Amino acid sequence: MSREFVPVRIAVLTVSDSRSLDDDKSGDLLRDLIESAGHEVACRSLVRDDRASISAQLASWAADPNVDVVISTGGTGLTGRDVTVEAHRDVYEKEIDAFAPVFAFVSMRKIGVSAVQSRACAGVAKGTYLFALPGSPGACRDAWEEILKPQLDYRHRPCNFVEILPRLEEHLRRK
């Protein structure tokens, strides 16, 4: 039995002290990949490398019923300014623990052991998926093509994120 494609609404957040939306290659790439896959870019924004600002934007989008997924790019490295992962974890209700090792596996095939420097992560908050990707276009493409595109496709078997999206907040419903 074949399923029909179900588009989801995805917000794209770029975290950077050095870029603007005018020269945001990773954000542009994610927008193009999302749209070419048949999904909708619900919102797009850029915030500086500031934990409180990143957390506030993530929490705002997680609470927005018109956003199903948030993908951030940038700020996942090891430098002092890289606080995106901490900001994501401030918002998560549940972490998607397998995302980081799967992303590392995908990255290892492309960049070898340099993949160890990425702190990509993912979680769920208020019924919304949140993914933190590195700031490089190559890493964004790899994460999208090899993990997110199939998992955000309702037709993907044996399971995918879209089919359980309506159940992410089932614990809040009355019995």
Side-chain angles (χ1 to χ4, degrees):
M1 175 173 142
S2 121
R3 298 178 176 186
E4 286 190 36
F5 179 77
V6 176
V8 294
R9 299 162 298 197
I10 304 172
V12 177
L13 178 64
T14 299
V15 178
S16 178
D17 284 340
S18 60
R19 285 184 251 147
S20 70
L21 287 176
D22 294 332
D23 64 354
D24 176 17
K25 292 179 183 172
S26 293
D28 289 346
L29 175 66
L30 285 168
R31 177 201 59 218
D32 294 346
L33 292 170
I34 290 163
E35 290 175 347
S36 69
H39 299 295
E40 174 189 339
V41 175
C43 309
R44 184 166 172 201
S45 188
L46 183 143
V47 296
R48 300 289 168 217
D49 292 280
D50 173 72
R51 185 172 176 170
S53 299
I54 300 164
S55 293
Q57 183 61 77
L58 294 172
S60 173
W61 281 343
D64 185 338
N66 295 309
V67 175
D68 302 311
V69 177
V70 176
I71 302 174
S72 71
T73 174
T76 62
L78 301 172
T79 72
R81 297 290 296 155
D82 291 325
V83 295
T84 301
V85 173
E86 291 75 17
H88 267 255
R89 289 184 173 141
D90 289 342
V91 177
Y92 292 165
E93 294 164 1
K94 292 183 180 181
E95 191 153 357
I96 303 172
D97 297 316
F99 184 81
V102 170
F103 179 78
F105 174 77
V106 167
S107 295
M108 284 263 321
R109 294 186 309 196
K110 308 288 173 102
I111 62 171
V113 296
S114 293
V116 75
Q117 292 189 32
S118 172
R119 297 187 308 135
C121 63
V124 175
K126 298 195 181 307
T128 303
Y129 293 109
L130 299 107
F131 301 95
L133 307 181
S136 76
C140 289
R141 180 179 299 282
D142 293 343
W144 177 263
E145 293 295 338
E146 300 203 35
I147 305 169
L148 297 176
K149 183 179 178 183
Q151 277 298 297
L152 294 174
D153 189 333
Y154 183 68
R155 301 167 296 185
H156 182 77
R157 300 291 187 146
C159 58
N160 60 76
F161 289 137
V162 178
E163 66 191 347
I164 60 172
L165 185 60
R167 297 183 53 213
L168 295 180
E169 293 191 297
E170 67 189 0
H171 64 289
L172 301 176
R173 286 184 274 217
R174 290 182 154 226
K175 302 266 181 200

